[in-house]
Amino acid sequence: MSKEMAPEHITIRTQMRIPYAYSAGLYVGRFLQELRDNEKIYANKCPKCGRLLLPPRIMCGRCSVRMGEWIEQGHKGTLVSFGVTIEPQVDVTTGENKKVPFTTAGIQLDGGAAILHLLEETDASKLRLGMRVEAVFKPREERQGLITDILHFKVVEE
Amino acid sequence: MTERIGIVATVQTKYEESKPRLHPSELLCEVVEEVMSETGLTFTRDGTGLEDSVTCCSDHWDGQIGSSKNAQDVAGGDLRESDNVSTGGANAFFLAVARLLSGSCDTILVTAHCKESQGQVGLIENMGFDPIYHRMLGLDFLSAAALQANRYMHKYAITSEQCAKVVVKNRGNAKNNPFSQAPLDLTVDDVLNSPVLAFPLKVLEVKPVSDGACAMILATESRAKKLTDKPVWVKGIANCYDSYYLGDRDLADCAALTNAAHRAYRMAEITNPRKEIDVVELSEYYSYQELLWLEGLGFCNKGEGGKLIDSGVTGMDRELPVNPSGGLLSGVPTMVDGLSRIAEAALQLKGEGGARQISGARTALAHSVMGVAGQMHFATILEK
Amino acid sequence: MARRVAIVGIGQTPHKSRMPELDAGEMINVAVRAALEDAQLSIREIDQVLLSNMEHFEGNYFVEGMFSDSVGSYLKPGLKTQVMGTTGASMVTTAWYFVASGLFDTVLTVTYQKQHEGQSGPVLQSAAEPSYDRVLTGHSAMYIFASLAQHYMAETGCRPEHAAMVRVKAADNGRRNPFAHLKLELTVEDVLNSRVLVWPLRLLDICPTSAGACALVLASEERVRKITNKPVWIRDHIAVHQEGFTLSVMHYYPDPFPRETTREVASKKLYARNGITDPAKEIDVFEIYEPSTYGELQYMEDLGICGKGEAWKLVEKGATTLEGEVPMNPSGGVLSANAIGDCAMVRVAEAALQVRGDAGEHQIARKVNTAMAHGFGGRGYTTLHLLSKTL
């Protein structure tokens, strides 16, 4: 490479905005409808291994059979894991930074399935595994048929 | 090849412009269940049934990274080996053939699915151009194809009527194919009068947006014979890449296709394709491509694709039927395209072509293409 | 009967946080030339060229075509497999299938990533199911590793200092590896004082994002003899995938429906069919894919390298260093270089260098006959490659 080709590092900056229209499908579609219209959280059950999966889906990946019964989960559950994110990150759906801190949690619902969602509480010192939590839904007019129709789970005394 | 590889069973969905009711995994689930039940195979983990798969889908078209899970979950990928190929369904087939020949398994499932309707074709294809140079020009595969069409037609005096004849033939053939998305009765004038999308390509000369899926089971010879009484043997298989930059190649030629075709013919011991191939299923995203690819496949000399279609020889009841299924122009999604060509060719050799059956078909060629203006070509020769 | 296959050429670029002086194609070409030179082959002698990465990190599509000139696939066959983090390893396996099948004799397989050209965070987040939890801001790759960390400590009595020791070892090894990205001088205190990302995971508990490429040349047994007298035989390999409709609770800890991890399933099968009953003794060195410090500990146990709850104790004793009884990640591991597309291939490359005795300053102290490389993919996928000096 000759000296005359002074290597200036040219950087091409672009922003990509690619719209998608994702089909929720027969299973997640119905799950979201139930959230939006009836404030009901559903899982479906594998007729072979008995697992309750949330969100419901067409096939049990482990057994390779069609999932069966839809089972209501209720709104309450037990906290089985949580993590408070402090470091800001970019949200893939908006391109903007997510608001921090936020608490991701694994919740074992009383109906038997586990759900990943957010907790209202963002102070880790106030949280303990095993705490009882309850889903807080957005008001009907704000619900859109998204998992965020559940605003978050809040800790409840029991 | 060290031993024979057989196609045991194939299933395709009906292709549609969009399938908004179904999640991609649900779409694929149906064809996998059908091909499993057709062969009586189940997913096992103890060596007695089906334990291997190669899936094909695209993070871009499924709109997320790790899109392979859409396929793996319904294709028995859990606690088994289920690799994912994103270079199109025909290449998933290629890897599956290699897996069988390597002795790692004796039966394998191949799947491909895509819902083009969920994304924006032009924007996704624009990402197929390098971000430093080509992409800034706002190219997509359509505009690149238009470049190729112009060059090809200019160099060899291919006429727009000849290109239009491809559309008339294929959209008409689609009427015989229960899986086809959009059969149409067209005249050459209908095609020529349809709105121009990117000169000289008119809307009827461009593959429509499509959703669909395909699943196939392959096996080594002894296993294939147990699973079906109509195995279709893979006699030759190859693929090849051309250079990437559009300016580096003469778009009127398809050196990569000729290279792949020669390798496949040599493996299959075919010396005169025109005589020895009974039916061709090729991947024509645009009208002119059928003519150009037929040249690359050696069915006529360079520049004579137009004469070939004029002769009528590629019609349904003639000596070299091309795309009796209706081809891609009748609506098949990318990713699925190559695998569906192989499925259609296999159906012909199994005698299950129904209204589109080419009688007496013994040897078929299935072709696939991917990338800008046909950068990667794949060809396989199948025999009864 | 499969033909036997060996690695005959190994090439890498140094991994860096940014590589603005090369475009992706040029970067790929550096690794390709290094592998060809190592094998003393020209591209003309290569029958098939495979190229892969995780395309969204740079916002590209069909990279196997885009970089055909740089990787050397012009007028050659090739394809791409893409299975999240295990991509690098699946590309080794794919090459293996094509050579073992007899379809090709000599295959070049290449993986790369140039993460600084895109935005890694949101791309990783897109692994969540778009119709369901993509909109949930709660997802973060960090949280998966944070939940692993909490779970591991709760189950085994491990303390954050032990995870910090893993990081210090990675830094010590990274400094001796010319291809590693991070070559830090670290103490346990440095790690424990680094800022919290998702408790208990700190900045230094997690891997960086890097740019780099890796290339391997694989050849059939007959070809091998003409190419090199230092082949690294791929004795065996296995890939175990897992359902993953969405990045849901089952990928975090604890799994609500617990069963053996894919690591346990894969390693047990691999060891059983190779007559290995004590992997820590019978395998001389391990390159495992550890996106976090706690991950290295958990994976060591899942892979049967030590018993449950024992990994942190081995680290405490210094057993996992270059001079130790169970050398882990002499290259510095993913903690020292994380170009997602090539990470899993780098594990194989580094394991192969150890078998050849060519790892220079980061060569382990004891003689290496057998090495194992492990790959990890986001939905809990596992790949394993068992390499050896002799057949």
Side-chain angles (χ1 to χ4, degrees):
Chain A
M1 184 109 76
S2 65
K3 268 203 319 214
E4 289 76 33
M5 289 181 63
E8 178 193 342
H9 298 157
I10 296 184
T11 302
I12 315 278
R13 292 180 197 285
T14 59
Q15 282 271 351
M16 268 190 281
R17 202 178 162 70
I18 308 201
Y20 282 92
Y22 299 102
S23 297
L26 303 170
Y27 289 77
V28 174
R30 182 177 155 200
F31 171 84
L32 294 174
Q33 267 179 278
E34 291 285 351
L35 280 188
R36 181 193 65 197
D37 297 340
N38 301 324
E39 274 191 38
K40 289 194 174 165
I41 303 174
Y42 274 97
N44 64 0
K45 184 170 175 171
C46 172
K48 202 162 170 196
C49 66
R51 288 187 309 161
L52 284 162
L53 297 181
L54 196 162
R57 63 208 66 184
I58 190 167
M59 186 163 258
C60 172
R62 293 186 185 180
C63 304
S64 296
V65 298
R66 292 259 183 153
M67 294 290 285
E69 234 188 310
W70 284 60
I71 306 207
E72 232 188 295
Q73 297 297 301
H75 288 185
K76 290 200 180 151
T78 309
L79 192 61
V80 294
S81 71
F82 67 90
V84 183
T85 298
I86 297 170
E87 185 83 352
Q89 303 165 12
V90 176
D91 187 328
V92 72
T93 57
T94 62
E96 307 291 325
N97 268 349
K98 298 183 196 182
K99 193 160 142 325
V100 286
F102 61 84
T103 309
T104 313
I107 295 152
Q108 185 72 35
L109 293 168
D110 291 347
I115 187 172
L116 188 82
H117 212 282
L118 296 165
L119 289 185
E120 182 183 33
E121 180 60 69
T122 56
D123 181 346
S125 66
K126 300 213 170 90
L127 291 168
R128 256 181 6 267
L129 296 186
M131 277 176 141
R132 295 285 293 161
V133 295
E134 183 170 10
V136 175
F137 277 78
K138 287 181 177 164
R140 177 64 182 90
E141 60 277 10
E142 285 176 38
R143 300 206 293 257
Q144 299 175 274
L146 297 172
I147 187 59
T148 44
D149 287 353
I150 301 173
L151 179 65
H152 51 228
F153 281 74
K154 68 170 197 263
V155 174
V156 292
E157 294 299 322
E158 264 181 17
Chain B
M1 298 202 295
T2 48
E3 67 180 303
R4 295 213 289 180
I5 301 299
I7 298 173
V8 169
T10 75
V11 174
Q12 299 173 73
T13 55
K14 177 159 161 56
Y15 302 104
E16 291 180 272
E17 191 179 354
S18 96
K19 292 179 187 278
R21 286 188 71 233
L22 298 178
H23 184 273
S25 61
E26 293 163 2
L27 177 61
L28 184 63
C29 187
E30 295 175 352
V31 289
V32 170
E33 283 174 337
E34 205 179 314
V35 83
M36 299 293 282
S37 95
E38 203 178 300
T39 52
L41 286 166
T42 55
F43 291 114
T44 59
R45 296 194 179 93
D46 58 7
T48 57
L50 191 70
E51 305 191 2
D52 299 90
S53 53
V54 180
T55 63
C56 172
C57 59
S58 161
D59 283 358
H60 295 77
W61 295 99
D62 279 21
Q64 64 166 148
I65 65 163
S67 61
S68 55
K69 58 88 172 158
N70 286 333
Q72 284 163 334
D73 278 22
V74 300
D78 187 69
L79 292 190
R80 300 185 189 90
E81 179 165 353
S82 178
D83 285 312
N84 182 267
V85 169
S86 54
T87 317
N91 283 312
F93 178 87
F94 202 173
L95 177 57
V97 168
R99 290 206 53 196
L100 291 170
L101 288 172
S102 76
S104 78
C105 56
D106 58 21
T107 323
I108 193 161
L109 169 68
V110 185
T111 74
H113 75 264
C114 184
K115 292 187 72 192
E116 289 181 330
S117 67
Q118 291 196 168
Q120 300 262 304
V121 176
L123 292 178
I124 292 173
E125 290 178 351
N126 181 247
M127 291 170 75
F129 292 85
D130 72 283
I132 313 294
Y133 184 50
H134 280 137
R135 192 181 303 171
M136 309 308 288
L137 303 173
L139 286 165
D140 58 12
F141 289 5
L142 172 64
S143 42
L147 278 174
Q148 185 171 48
N150 274 313
R151 171 64 188 147
Y152 173 57
M153 292 165 76
H154 169 81
K155 182 170 181 183
Y156 296 123
I158 307 289
T159 67
S160 12
E161 285 77 16
Q162 288 164 338
C163 295
K165 283 182 184 179
V166 172
V167 184
V168 170
K169 169 176 76 67
N170 291 352
R171 298 300 285 263
N173 286 352
K175 291 189 296 185
N176 298 324
N177 181 356
F179 304 127
S180 74
Q181 174 171 319
L184 269 185
D185 272 315
L186 294 171
T187 65
V188 165
D189 279 338
D190 290 333
V191 179
L192 295 179
N193 293 331
S194 63
V196 174
L197 287 181
F199 188 85
L201 298 173
K202 303 160 195 67
V203 67
L204 282 173
E205 295 184 278
V206 176
K207 182 192 89 68
V209 165
S210 176
D211 289 358
C214 178
M216 192 178 288
I217 291 184
L218 312 186
T220 53
E221 181 168 2
S222 52
R223 198 88 174 91
K225 285 178 173 167
K226 292 199 181 95
L227 291 170
T228 176
D229 48 14
K230 290 186 282 184
V232 171
W233 307 111
V234 179
K235 301 296 288 182
I237 185 167
N239 76 357
C240 188
Y241 286 77
D242 211 325
S243 57
Y244 161 70
Y245 287 103
L246 292 176
D248 285 354
R249 26 178 179 132
D250 186 343
L251 295 177
D253 295 323
C254 40
L257 174 52
T258 305
N259 184 304
H262 278 167
R263 289 171 196 259
Y265 290 146
R266 197 165 52 234
M267 273 173 90
E269 296 179 335
I270 288 185
T271 47
N272 188 340
R274 181 79 181 258
K275 280 211 163 57
E276 299 176 64
I277 307 279
D278 301 317
V279 59
V280 177
E281 283 285 345
L282 54 76
S283 296
E284 81 308 6
Y285 274 74
Y286 310 93
S287 59
Y288 74 90
Q289 284 186 346
E290 178 163 314
L291 307 179
L292 181 53
W293 301 161
L294 287 170
E295 295 174 16
L297 288 166
F299 290 111
C300 61
N301 294 326
K302 266 195 198 177
E304 298 194 344
K307 290 199 192 118
L308 193 64
I309 192 132
D310 279 344
S311 73
V313 113
T314 58
M316 279 293 288
D317 35 23
R318 297 288 305 272
E319 304 90 86
L320 184 69
V322 175
N323 286 354
S325 67
L328 302 189
L329 282 171
S330 300
V332 178
T334 190
M335 294 296 134
V336 181
D337 52 359
L339 196 64
S340 70
R341 300 309 84 208
I342 296 170
E344 283 292 326
L347 286 174
Q348 290 288 345
L349 300 185
K350 282 173 177 275
E352 291 170 10
R356 62 199 185 291
Q357 180 70 48
I358 303 301
S359 67
R362 298 200 59 85
T363 308
L365 183 149
H367 157 266
S368 183
V369 67
M370 192 164 167
V372 184
Q375 189 191 357
M376 188 288 307
H377 286 273
F378 164 97
T380 185
I381 315 296
L382 307 177
E383 241 174 54
K384 201 163 150 154
Chain C
M1 186 60 225
R3 296 201 299 178
R4 294 186 288 202
V5 182
I7 297 170
V8 299
I10 303 170
Q12 293 183 62
T13 65
H15 290 74
K16 297 157 69 161
S17 67
R18 313 185 67 79
M19 215 181 283
E21 67 275 20
L22 298 176
D23 80 358
E26 290 161 342
M27 184 180 77
I28 287 165
N29 191 256
V30 169
V32 166
R33 285 178 186 275
L36 289 176
E37 189 176 314
D38 185 58
Q40 294 281 288
L41 290 173
S42 91
I43 191 69
R44 273 181 295 284
E45 299 170 83
I46 302 290
D47 303 322
Q48 185 197 42
V49 178
L50 309 173
L51 174 67
S52 184
N53 82 337
M54 287 191 69
E55 298 175 320
H56 274 94
F57 285 105
E58 296 89 13
N60 294 328
Y61 172 52
F62 194 56
V63 298
E64 63 271 49
M66 193 181 289
F67 300 113
S68 63
D69 301 308
S70 317
V71 77
S73 63
Y74 174 62
L75 290 185
K76 287 189 196 291
L79 52 77
K80 160 150 90 19
T81 57
Q82 193 172 330
V83 208
M84 297 193 89
T86 57
T87 292
S90 74
M91 288 291 280
V92 179
T93 305
T94 300
W96 186 92
Y97 284 128
F98 277 109
V99 176
S101 67
L103 288 168
F104 301 111
D105 294 324
T106 319
V107 174
L108 169 68
T109 179
V110 186
T111 50
Y112 77 100
Q113 206 76 60
K114 221 174 174 240
Q115 288 182 234
H116 66 92
E117 289 193 342
Q119 301 230 285
S120 302
V123 170
L124 285 170
Q125 191 191 341
S126 75
E129 170 54 36
S131 65
Y132 177 64
D133 52 3
R134 163 101 50 93
V135 294
L136 193 66
T137 58
H139 271 304
S140 61
M142 301 297 174
Y143 177 53
I144 298 183
F145 302 119
S147 70
L148 184 162
Q150 293 169 5
H151 174 83
Y152 186 75
M153 287 198 284
E155 296 283 301
T156 67
C158 165
R159 291 187 309 280
E161 301 85 272
H162 301 110
M165 289 175 200
V166 172
R167 187 62 187 87
V168 170
K169 166 184 75 70
D172 291 343
N173 293 348
R175 290 197 307 275
R176 295 165 182 217
N177 177 1
F179 302 112
H181 165 188
L182 294 181
K183 299 175 200 292
L184 306 172
E185 299 260 359
L186 287 179
T187 63
V188 165
E189 284 67 43
D190 291 331
V191 181
L192 295 176
N193 291 331
S194 61
R195 72 176 187 276
V196 174
L197 301 176
V198 183
W199 190 90
L201 214 59
R202 294 177 182 275
L203 181 65
L204 285 172
D205 281 317
I206 200 90
C207 54
T209 58
S210 320
C214 184
L216 295 175
V217 181
L218 271 62
S220 66
E221 197 174 346
E222 311 88 73
R223 278 290 281 147
V224 163
R225 297 184 204 297
K226 300 188 185 116
I227 297 172
T228 176
N229 54 6
K230 284 204 296 185
V232 177
W233 296 99
I234 300 178
R235 204 165 122 193
D236 200 355
H237 60 86
I238 187 168
V240 177
H241 298 102
Q242 183 165 249
E243 64 169 344
F245 179 62
T246 181
L247 276 182
S248 67
V249 195
M250 67 176 71
H251 298 104
Y252 296 61
Y253 289 80
D255 184 335
F257 302 103
R259 60 171 185 180
E260 282 192 326
T261 61
T262 58
R263 282 175 294 280
E264 289 165 291
V265 171
S267 54
K268 284 182 183 170
K269 273 199 181 148
L270 187 83
Y271 298 151
R273 64 195 196 207
N274 287 281
I276 292 173
T277 50
D278 189 347
K281 287 215 157 57
E282 298 173 61
I283 299 174
D284 303 306
V285 63
F286 298 87
E287 278 283 338
I288 70 175
Y289 190 127
E290 82 311 8
S292 75
T293 50
Y294 297 90
E296 179 161 326
L297 300 170
Q298 180 71 59
Y299 298 168
M300 279 176 68
E301 296 175 8
D302 292 344
L303 292 172
I305 297 168
C306 61
K308 292 249 177 284
E310 300 295 310
W312 65 269
K313 296 177 189 166
L314 282 176
V315 169
E316 195 177 50
K317 284 196 316 188
T320 60
T321 63
L322 296 181
E323 301 82 21
E325 311 134 38
V326 194
M328 300 293 307
N329 289 5
S331 65
V334 178
L335 286 169
S336 299
N338 175 35
I340 293 187
D342 87 352
C343 262
M345 187 179 279
V346 169
R347 306 282 70 72
V348 177
E350 286 290 338
L353 285 173
Q354 294 287 335
V355 170
R356 271 185 7 191
D358 284 342
E361 280 188 51
H362 66 284
Q363 181 72 39
I364 64 160
R366 74 179 206 224
K367 202 160 170 307
V368 178
N369 188 62
T370 310
M372 188 167 89
H374 154 259
F376 165 82
R379 297 187 209 277
Y381 305 149
T382 294
T383 56
L384 295 173
H385 285 83
L386 191 65
L387 308 179
S388 66
K389 190 177 273 173
T390 51
L391 273 171

